[in-house]
Amino acid sequence: MPVYKAPTRDTRFVINELIGLEKFQHLAGFANAGQDLTDAVIEEAGRFVSEVIAPLNQVGDREGCTRHADGSVTTPTGFKAAYRQYVDGGWATLSGPEEFGGQGMPHVIGFVLEEYLASANQAFAMYPGLANGAISAIIAKGSPEQQQTYLPKMVSGEWLGTMNLTEPHCGTDLGLLRTRAEPQADGSYAITGTKIFISAGDHDLAENIIHLVLAKTPGAPESSKGISLFIVPKFLVNADGTPGARNAVSVGSLEHKMGIHGNATCVMNYDGAKGFLIGEECKGLAAMFIMMNAARLGVGMQGLAQAEAAYQNAVLYAQERRQGRALTGPAEPGQKADPLFVHPDVRRMLMDAKTFTEGMRALCLWGALQVDLSHSALTEDERQAADDVISLLTPVIKGYGTDRGYQTATDMQQVWGGHGYIAENGMEQFVRDARIAMIYEGANGVQAMDLCGRKLAQNGGRAIQRLFALIDAEVADAGDNPAVALVAERLGKANGELKAATLWFMQNAMTDPNALGAGAYAYMTLTGVVTMGLMWLKMAKVAAATLAAGTQEPAFYEAKVICARHWALRVAPQAGSLRREVEAGPDTVMALPVESFATA
């Protein structure tokens, strides 16, 4: 049976030493961010998730969810009881707004819990994870009455939420959606249509489910400009706040999926269900993007989460499994074979994994801090700077994070060899569960186009210029410190490749849009390589300074410096080839006529 232990020591390093969360306590929303409290939250979250949620991962994978004759859905054995412990322990309220019953912890601390949950059991984590996105949308766009009706129970975890976008004939192109919203005399709308791929669409974990549904009103434009957003509760809410009559929303079927079997992915049928408009009519896509952007950061964290869980199990296997001898001679002559750890190729995969997981954790938590600062920083310029950076990096965290997360999961399966292909060992589940993160909340090619087609040009390229300046300043600050000189040098060069690729887009994409489309994926990956390097330079500086000052944990900090060098020597060189891929243009990509792709 696979194991999982939350990486609380590394998390505390990022929160306390890299980010220095405590220094933000003077800002709104950070009052509860003192180190003693955040350390306690991190450790207790790790204990709870490792002991209660992780043991259900294979159970959920084997059993899946069950749709009954009456259309109701039940979750796998143990999920309901574990969710009750989650709610009773106050974990649902961790970063929720205090005015609606939350604990008011910074978003970055909520992200810590999200990582642990997704590593332990991604299918389980999706139930509260989607509710958090729905809460964000209602806070931003809901009326005061809607907020008071839904948010206290959603923040507490008593009610959960979903997002309903996709339909059988439309996914990314939401302008094609057909779900209709007919105005009613009482001010509500009758919602009719079918949605597919709805994660957590129905289940037995919470007493009510608050669906956020995209639909079009009569006469609305037949494009994305005609989309409105509606609250459609599973149970209508009585005047006293309790669940009332069942709404006309039902589960048509459960999707049969490659992974995340423990999450109920539903076909949802809306048959004149009562819905309530959020925000303005025909402004629904902007409201839904609030939820989607929050979800995309969470999905990027899922890439890290599956990589971390797979990595932990690969390390244990490499320590225990004996195969062959070290190339330099027997490492343990008294044994018939040496552990896998003696083999450089196994070490290569494990070092790649360690460098990715620790670097990605830093990037995700640093990114979550930018979300907090975009709301709470003292000056408008600081708030704008944080918002610019995280808006730019959201598709990178989602796209690069899940690409590399999936690759890491498969590499860790490879460490296990043939035994990694056997279901009971759990490695193949990490691979299957990691795969969806590259697809949902906008497939990674869509993330690349969001980055290159929208984010780069916004506000005259202000966000990417801020990122360039941030990296240049970090490189310059390294000075001639020999402990980090190599990392700083390679990051500076990689940032130069990113600048060159950006300039090439500026010179070519306006005259040939296909040049942008053909190079976007490589550009997204290049941005991921560079921002990962930014995190490793930051971490290497902290680690080198700690070692110089003296520490009782030298091995921990020495490992940080070595991983930073691994990024510099093994990952940073990818920047040059990725820039050249961008500059290759669209000619070969678009050259063949469609019929030339036929194989028979």
Side-chain angles (χ1 to χ4, degrees):
M1 179 178 177
V3 298
Y4 172 70
K5 183 178 180 181
T8 56
R9 177 64 186 92
D10 196 58
T11 302
R12 288 189 287 107
F13 169 80
V14 175
I15 294 294
N16 298 328
E17 300 176 65
L18 181 68
I19 290 175
L21 191 62
E22 194 170 42
K23 69 187 178 187
F24 297 104
Q25 277 190 279
H26 63 289
L27 299 178
F30 288 84
N32 298 326
Q35 184 172 334
D36 288 346
L37 179 57
T38 56
D39 281 355
V41 169
I42 289 166
E43 292 296 336
E44 183 57 24
R47 184 204 63 77
F48 169 75
V49 170
S50 300
E51 295 177 4
V52 177
I53 308 300
L56 299 175
N57 196 34
Q58 282 194 308
V59 174
D61 188 58
R62 288 194 303 267
E63 292 186 11
C65 296
T66 303
R67 179 185 179 275
H68 304 282
D70 63 357
S72 65
V73 175
T74 53
T75 51
T77 302
F79 272 46
K80 188 173 182 178
Y83 184 72
R84 177 47 50 196
Q85 287 185 253
Y86 172 85
V87 172
D88 290 346
W91 296 111
T93 67
L94 188 61
S95 56
E98 292 179 286
E99 63 184 299
F100 299 113
Q103 298 179 49
M105 294 288 281
H107 183 75
V108 64
I109 296 299
F111 232 41
V112 170
L113 177 62
E114 287 190 39
E115 181 205 332
Y116 293 174
L117 284 170
S119 278
N121 190 328
Q122 182 170 319
F124 180 95
M126 290 168 65
Y127 291 103
L130 285 162
N132 290 334
I135 289 168
S136 298
I138 296 173
I139 289 173
K141 297 295 183 179
S143 68
E145 181 183 11
Q146 288 171 337
Q147 292 176 355
Q148 290 299 326
T149 298
Y150 300 105
L151 290 181
K153 293 292 183 70
M154 295 180 75
V155 168
S156 72
E158 295 171 77
W159 297 354
L160 288 172
T162 72
M163 55 193 299
N164 284 235
L165 290 77
T166 307
E167 299 183 6
H169 59 284
C170 76
T172 302
D173 190 355
L174 291 170
L176 299 175
L177 68 80
R178 296 173 184 161
T179 299
R180 296 294 165 182
E182 294 287 341
Q184 304 297 297
D186 63 358
S188 67
Y189 291 77
I191 311 298
T192 302
T194 296
K195 300 288 186 177
I196 63 170
F197 305 158
I198 307 307
S199 301
D202 195 70
H203 50 77
D204 57 350
L205 301 186
E207 64 178 5
N208 205 356
I209 303 172
I210 310 306
H211 301 291
L212 296 193
V213 183
L214 291 181
K216 289 184 177 179
T217 53
E222 291 297 326
S223 68
S224 61
K225 294 181 180 180
I227 296 173
S228 299
L229 181 64
F230 299 86
I231 294 176
V232 187
K234 176 180 177 180
F235 293 99
L236 299 173
V237 181
N238 294 323
D240 63 359
T242 59
R246 176 68 187 259
N247 209 348
V249 52
S250 61
V251 176
S253 63
L254 293 177
E255 307 285 6
H256 299 280
K257 313 183 297 289
M258 176 179 177
I260 54 169
H261 295 157
N263 194 268
T265 307
C266 302
V267 174
M268 303 296 296
N269 294 324
Y270 293 86
D271 300 304
K274 186 178 285 290
F276 307 92
L277 180 68
I278 302 181
E280 298 178 51
E281 190 174 342
C282 296
K283 301 290 185 181
L285 200 57
M288 183 60 82
F289 264 111
I290 294 169
M291 186 173 182
M292 289 183 67
N293 284 333
R296 284 171 174 175
L297 288 172
V299 172
M301 183 68 89
Q302 289 175 6
L304 159 64
Q306 293 306 298
E308 172 67 32
Y311 167 71
Q312 288 189 16
N313 286 274
V315 168
L316 290 174
Y317 189 75
Q319 290 172 331
E320 297 169 356
R321 177 73 167 175
R322 293 182 178 275
Q323 292 287 287
R325 290 296 192 183
L327 297 178
T328 53
E332 298 183 21
Q335 299 290 334
K336 292 183 178 180
D338 290 331
L340 288 178
F341 250 107
V342 303
H343 302 299
D345 193 58
V346 172
R347 287 286 193 114
R348 172 188 62 82
M349 289 186 285
L350 293 172
M351 276 300 295
D352 285 349
K354 182 176 176 66
T355 302
F356 168 72
T357 53
E358 294 183 13
M360 192 66 192
R361 180 172 300 112
L363 181 58
C364 285
L365 295 180
W366 181 81
L369 176 67
Q370 306 313 305
V371 174
D372 287 317
L373 293 177
S374 71
H375 300 291
S376 302
L378 288 178
T379 70
E380 175 59 30
D381 185 63
E382 289 173 318
R383 292 190 292 274
Q384 187 64 68
D387 187 66
D388 282 348
V389 170
I390 193 55
S391 295
L392 178 76
L393 293 184
T394 292
V396 178
I397 289 172
K398 195 279 186 185
Y400 182 76
T402 58
D403 279 352
R404 290 297 305 144
Y406 177 74
Q407 181 60 53
T408 300
T410 61
D411 284 349
M412 298 305 92
Q413 183 188 36
Q414 188 77 6
V415 170
W416 276 67
H419 293 283
Y421 204 67
I422 303 303
E424 56 261 35
N425 291 325
M427 299 304 289
E428 55 87 39
Q429 184 189 346
F430 297 135
V431 174
R432 288 186 288 106
D433 285 355
R435 187 64 184 88
I436 185 56
M438 302 164 72
I439 299 172
Y440 61 12
E441 304 304 341
N444 286 354
V446 174
Q447 302 301 319
M449 285 303 296
D450 178 43
L451 172 66
C452 298
R454 294 179 64 245
K455 302 296 176 59
L456 283 184
Q458 280 181 344
N459 304 305
R462 186 178 67 202
I464 191 65
Q465 293 301 325
R466 286 191 191 275
L467 180 63
F468 291 154
L470 190 66
I471 295 169
D472 287 340
E474 199 70 45
V475 170
D477 183 65
D480 57 358
N481 182 347
V484 298
L486 174 67
V487 184
E489 176 203 349
R490 296 300 172 89
L491 177 57
K493 289 181 178 179
N495 196 33
E497 303 286 12
L498 183 59
K499 291 176 182 177
T502 306
L503 179 62
W504 189 88
F505 271 156
M506 292 172 60
Q507 294 171 337
N508 292 275
M510 291 296 290
T511 56
D512 185 0
N514 283 338
L516 185 82
Y521 210 100
Y523 186 93
M524 179 186 72
T525 306
L526 171 56
T527 310
V529 168
V530 172
T531 51
M532 187 73 75
L534 173 62
M535 293 301 108
W536 273 115
L537 179 55
K538 284 175 170 287
M539 288 191 284
K541 288 179 181 178
V542 172
T546 302
L547 288 167
T551 174
Q552 295 181 337
E553 298 178 284
F556 178 86
Y557 294 98
E558 288 166 357
K560 290 293 182 190
V561 175
I562 292 171
C563 284
R565 288 175 56 82
H566 187 80
W567 174 88
L569 294 171
R570 293 278 182 158
V571 182
Q574 297 170 15
S577 62
L578 289 164
R579 175 185 62 80
R580 288 189 290 274
E581 187 176 343
V582 170
E583 295 175 353
D587 291 349
T588 59
V589 172
M590 305 301 293
L592 288 181
V594 173
E595 54 270 21
S596 294
F597 286 90
T599 57

